[in-house]
Amino acid sequence: MIAALILIAADTGPVLRVPAGLLADGEVAGGDPQLVWPEGATLKVEGDGGEIVVRADRAIDERAIDAFRGAAGDAIGDLRWNDDSLVLRPATGRDLRWRLTGNRVTIGFTAPAAEPAPAGDDAPDLDPQLLAIEADVAAGYPGEGRRRAEALAATYPNDRRVTRILADARSADGDAAGATRLYRQLGATDRTARRAAAFAPGAASVGVTLRDGSDLSQVESAARVDVALNDRTTIGGGVRHVASSIGDERRGSPVVEASATVRVGDEARMQAVLAGALDSGVTGGGIRYASGSAEGQWRAGITLHQPDYSTREQALYDGWLTRVSAGATYRIAPGLVGQIDLGGNRYGLAGADGAVDTITLAGGIDYIRRRGGFAFGLTYRLEAEYVQRRRGGIDFATRENHTVQGLVSGAIGEAQLTGLAGWTVDRFGGDGPNASLGLALPVGDAWRIEGSGGISSVTRPGFAGQQVFARAGVTRGLGSGR
């Protein structure tokens, strides 16, 4: 859903490129490659032969990065940066040295240094490693940041700075319960710790969604509660009501839902779902699996005979949907994310055999660049569904939507506002504008308000041509925030 994409875009990690006008020259002096920040930038460099972290009060430009990569070549093992920090690691089998001169850091790559002696718990040189973990998380790699923090905590279990960075990394990676346990161990009472504590036990939410097209209008109201039984198991349930209007015909459809989610590993989750329509008896369930963090995730699922109201006929005469799906999301670079999902679907009506079989393809790529408190980007989305077999009862057409949108997002206080605007072309006929505005607002420690709305020209089952949509929701963490 476009509405969902708006809210997702508001949480996109910082992008690591800035306008070319900020570029200072990228010359290489003395035979060693240089990292060059804009003239007047203030730099602070920390680290040793295996890794350095550069802090800056101005962003480095991509052309300066490209010049450094071209000069250093295979000597670079890992290079990541955002608006105010940069992490550089040499390739395996190499070491590095650095020299700071004004707005330039000159890097010399050498043979590996001798293995250092094991450090004790009280190590004064941890700042570069802590800053590197912060940079990983800020660049959109929370899983890698968490793994590095866990390795550091295994070596320095009594260092409070390490415990704190591990708590922050776990929170960024979606492990509110694990983060809260560490925050309490530290006695942390700041806003980040209180919010993690508020949502660790679970959350309750209410929301309403409006979809209004030329063929079908729907208002869906929903309420849901999810409760964490322990660090690995969460159960949830909810109710929703779908009110559909097709011309002069009206129909309301109440649905109850239940789920159980189990973390089968640090980055893997298995979820069982059940849903039943109270008025028609259509009942189904399924299994979903997801593995990975934001920088790289695999997912798959199968759901059978779930209540579904996508088409006009299903909305009026009680529909169901069976789906098999698989997909992946991968962060190609700090500001570049790709996604693809494939699915096989069967749409049916209550008391009748499956009416339509389709194959769905959804994919896209997001390029987001951040400057200060604002993010700018360009997104492409493919949403296609190809009819394979019809057996009457449901009117369904093949569609293939290609959408390009520009994005701008910024904060006003704690509120994050995100706007999208662009154009959609359906290869099988029809095109038009897309525009939307989204809001995400944390309130206090335990409340979160979200809303979005706009116009869409993405053809969907039951929604041909242009549609307007809107969504509003309120979520309350079940914890006290302490």
Side-chain angles (χ1 to χ4, degrees):
M1 292 291 293
I2 294 293
L5 292 173
I6 296 168
L7 299 175
I8 291 170
D11 294 329
T12 299
V15 176
L16 312 181
R17 298 209 280 179
V18 297
L22 295 179
L23 179 68
D25 95 65
E27 67 179 86
V28 176
D32 287 332
Q34 292 185 335
L35 288 162
V36 184
W37 273 259
E39 200 66 43
T42 300
L43 309 181
K44 179 182 179 182
V45 186
E46 296 178 318
D48 53 23
E51 174 181 88
I52 65 168
V53 178
V54 185
R55 289 285 192 179
D57 61 354
R58 296 182 66 180
I60 193 170
D61 187 84
E62 183 187 343
R63 287 191 290 174
I65 294 292
D66 290 342
F68 176 76
R69 281 178 168 151
D74 294 339
I76 298 173
D78 191 18
L79 176 61
R80 295 180 184 175
W81 71 103
N82 57 30
D83 278 359
D84 55 15
S85 64
L86 178 146
V87 178
L88 172 65
R89 302 168 189 128
T92 303
R94 291 179 179 266
D95 202 354
L96 65 80
R97 65 182 186 275
W98 57 270
R99 184 177 71 255
L100 174 61
T101 307
N103 63 324
R104 300 165 183 266
V105 181
T106 303
I107 307 294
F109 293 94
T110 67
E115 285 293 323
D121 283 351
D122 186 16
D125 61 346
L126 288 181
D127 281 351
Q129 298 178 69
L130 299 175
L131 290 172
I133 293 169
E134 289 182 6
D136 282 337
V137 173
Y141 296 84
E144 183 169 338
R146 176 185 55 77
R147 289 189 292 271
R148 286 167 56 87
E150 288 171 348
L152 198 62
T155 305
Y156 306 105
N158 300 320
D159 192 296
R160 291 178 61 84
R161 297 171 300 166
V162 174
T163 303
R164 176 66 198 221
I165 200 71
L166 176 57
D168 291 342
R170 285 184 174 174
S171 180
D173 200 32
D175 182 8
T180 297
R181 191 166 55 250
L182 295 174
Y183 288 137
R184 287 173 177 165
Q185 177 183 324
L186 293 169
T189 59
D190 57 274
R191 174 63 65 86
T192 300
R194 295 198 307 269
R195 284 181 176 167
F199 283 89
S205 62
V206 294
V208 60
T209 302
L210 164 69
R211 299 176 288 265
D212 189 5
S214 57
D215 302 316
L216 173 63
S217 296
Q218 290 181 325
V219 178
E220 180 174 327
S221 306
R224 183 177 179 86
V225 177
D226 292 280
V227 178
L229 299 182
N230 51 49
D231 286 356
R232 292 193 172 271
T233 304
T234 301
I235 60 171
V239 295
R240 59 189 177 99
H241 182 271
V242 182
S244 304
S245 301
I246 301 103
D248 294 330
E249 299 185 81
R250 304 284 188 274
R251 178 68 190 276
S253 304
V255 178
V256 295
E257 300 173 325
S259 67
T261 305
V262 179
R263 293 174 66 98
V264 295
D266 287 337
E267 297 183 357
R269 297 162 298 282
M270 183 79 74
Q271 182 182 58
V273 295
L274 292 171
L278 298 179
D279 57 345
S280 66
V282 172
T283 303
I287 296 289
R288 299 185 182 118
Y289 174 81
S291 178
S293 296
E295 62 262 42
Q297 184 184 90
W298 300 92
R299 51 190 172 269
I302 178 170
T303 53
L304 305 173
H305 216 257
Q306 293 274 85
D308 186 67
Y309 309 99
S310 298
T311 69
R312 297 186 299 272
E313 293 81 6
Q314 288 179 303
L316 289 176
Y317 309 119
D318 303 311
W320 54 264
L321 172 65
T322 290
R323 168 172 291 165
V324 178
S325 62
T329 300
Y330 183 70
R331 188 174 291 277
I332 304 164
L336 191 63
V337 180
Q339 169 255 323
I340 187 168
D341 286 277
L342 299 170
N345 314 276
R346 173 165 292 178
Y347 298 84
L349 299 174
D353 292 334
V356 178
D357 294 335
T358 71
I359 293 175
T360 53
L361 171 62
I365 192 163
D366 298 336
Y367 168 59
I368 312 294
R369 57 187 298 172
R370 183 176 293 276
R371 179 60 184 162
F374 290 89
F376 305 90
L378 189 66
T379 72
Y380 164 75
R381 286 288 182 276
L382 165 64
E383 293 180 315
E385 190 159 15
Y386 306 97
V387 175
Q388 305 298 298
R389 183 171 61 169
R390 294 186 182 89
R391 282 179 282 175
I394 297 179
D395 183 17
F396 211 103
T398 291
R399 60 195 177 90
E400 184 180 301
N401 299 280
H402 299 265
T403 302
V404 176
Q405 290 185 300
L407 174 147
V408 61
S409 181
I412 301 177
E414 291 197 325
Q416 188 75 26
L417 290 171
T418 301
L420 287 161
W423 196 262
T424 294
V425 174
D426 186 344
R427 189 167 69 88
F428 295 95
D431 59 338
N434 284 276
S436 56
L437 183 65
L439 165 72
L441 174 65
V443 179
D445 297 333
W447 293 89
R448 186 170 62 243
I449 298 173
E450 297 171 311
S452 59
I455 184 172
S456 174
S457 298
V458 177
T459 303
R460 292 181 173 83
F463 292 91
Q466 293 182 13
Q467 317 115 46
V468 296
F469 63 90
R471 178 185 180 275
V474 178
T475 303
R476 180 24 164 120
L478 299 181
S480 64
R482 300 176 181 175

